[in-house]
Amino acid sequence: MPAEWEPHAATWLTWPRPDGISFPGRYDGVPPVLARLVRLIAEGEPVHINIWDADLERPAKRSLEAAGVPLAKVQFHPFRAYEPWCRDHGPQFVVRETGARAIVNWGYNAWGGKYPPFDLDDAIPGQVAAALGLPLLEPKMILESGSIDVNGTGALLTTEACLLHPNRNPHLTRGAIERRLRNHLGVERITWLGDGIEGDDTDGHVDDI
C-alpha cells in the first residue's frame, strides 16, 4: 500500500445524502464545503464521486459549478452508499513492484455496527474494482482505512482500541490480524498504539493520535 503522500491517479469521494445521519440538521452547509474541497483536489488530479442517484447528482453538480469546479475533472459513479465516509468504506489500492494494481476489500460495518444499515457502503470497493477492471483481494476482516497509516516502505501504525475492539473482529487474534495486514498491504513492521479520543465513534482511529 503506497503512502498517502505518494503521487496517485485520482481521489475517490462519496457524496453525502440529505437523509443520511452524518450531518443532522446541518446538511445544507455541507455540499458547498465539499465542493470547495473537490475544486482544490481537481487542480491536481481527477475526482471520482460515488453518488446515490441522478436526483442527487443534479444538486451535487450545481454545488460543484458554484464552487468553480471544472466538471470535466469529475466523474460520477452510480455506486450507492448511505454515508459519505469513503476513506473508511471505499477502495484501498495496493501496487505490486511490477506496477500492477489491485484493490483490497476489507469488510466495513460502520465502526462496529453503530450505524446500520451499511451493506451498500461495504459494497463500494467491489464496485470500484469492477469499474476499473482491477483484481479484488478479500482479507475477510473488518478494517476502516482511517484505522491505519502506512509509510509505503514497510511500516504500519494502528491502534489496539480500534482493530482489537470486539465489535470489529472478535474471531481474530492480534497475530491473525497482523498476518492479514502483512499479506495484503506488504508491510513488515506493525506498531500498535493505545487509545484514541474518548467517546469517538471510531473507537480510536489512528488519526486521533
Side-chain angles (χ1 to χ4, degrees), residues 67-147:
V69 176
L71 293 185
K73 297 291 292 290
V74 176
Q75 182 175 352
F76 284 94
H77 301 268
F79 304 156
R80 292 188 166 192
Y82 295 106
E83 302 303 323
W85 310 112
C86 192
R87 177 195 62 173
D88 289 340
H89 66 236
Q92 196 171 83
F93 291 85
V94 291
V95 184
R96 293 191 182 276
E97 291 181 359
T98 61
R101 296 174 299 154
I103 286 176
V104 183
N105 185 24
W106 302 103
Y108 174 78
N109 69 352
W111 311 287
K114 295 184 179 69
Y115 300 106
F118 45 78
D119 56 307
L120 297 180
D121 310 62
D122 186 39
I124 290 291
Q127 292 174 298
V128 174
L132 298 180
L134 294 178
L136 191 67
L137 310 179
E138 304 273 7
K140 300 189 184 306
M141 181 180 110
I142 299 295
L143 182 146
E144 307 98 39
S145 292
S147 66

Side-chain angles (χ1 to χ4, degrees), residues 51 78 100:
I51 197 77

